[in-house]
Amino acid sequence: MELCMIHANDLQAYIRKNDAILVDLRSEEDYREYHIRGAIHIPAERLAEFMKHTDKNRTHIFYCRHGSISIQEGKKYARLGYRICSLAGGMDAFLRQTT
């Protein structure tokens, strides 16, 4: 499978349409400060354990601060057969879109 990219202004519609799981890969401090409503917090260093127990056929949308970690991790899991998308530009893009 290939990694798909989702733009911030399409995120909520994509989640609803695909019953996607939104995964925040940032630090605990960043997550507590602000996160996208409905996101679960799985820091990048704990992602492997989470992915072992999640539904491989369900779409997961990863995001981080700028988008680079979510792309890197997303490509890895997409190659393993998971349905993965990355939020283009990460939290930065999301915050720009909402203001």
Side-chain angles (χ1 to χ4, degrees), residues 65-99:
R65 181 174 302 210
H66 307 293
S68 57
I69 293 171
S70 62
I71 290 172
Q72 177 184 345
E73 293 294 328
K75 284 180 179 179
K76 178 169 62 176
Y77 287 100
R79 282 192 301 268
L80 293 172
Y82 290 87
R83 295 176 185 207
I84 306 292
C85 296
S86 177
L87 177 60
M91 180 58 87
D92 289 347
F94 181 81
L95 291 173
R96 281 193 306 274
Q97 179 260 333
T98 58
T99 57

Side-chain angles (χ1 to χ4, degrees), residues 18-30:
N18 295 287
D19 189 31
I21 300 169
L22 185 58
V23 181
D24 187 321
L25 301 175
R26 300 172 306 141
S27 71
E28 178 70 32
E29 294 79 19
D30 287 343

Side-chain angles (χ1 to χ4, degrees), residues 8-40:
N9 56 350
D10 299 324
L11 180 62
Q12 295 304 325
Y14 191 90
I15 291 170
R16 283 191 300 275
K17 179 181 176 192
N18 295 287
D19 189 31
I21 300 169
L22 185 58
V23 181
D24 187 321
L25 301 175
R26 300 172 306 141
S27 71
E28 178 70 32
E29 294 79 19
D30 287 343
Y31 180 81
R32 272 190 268 126
E33 183 179 326
Y34 188 80
H35 59 272
I36 300 171
R37 178 183 282 168
I40 59 172

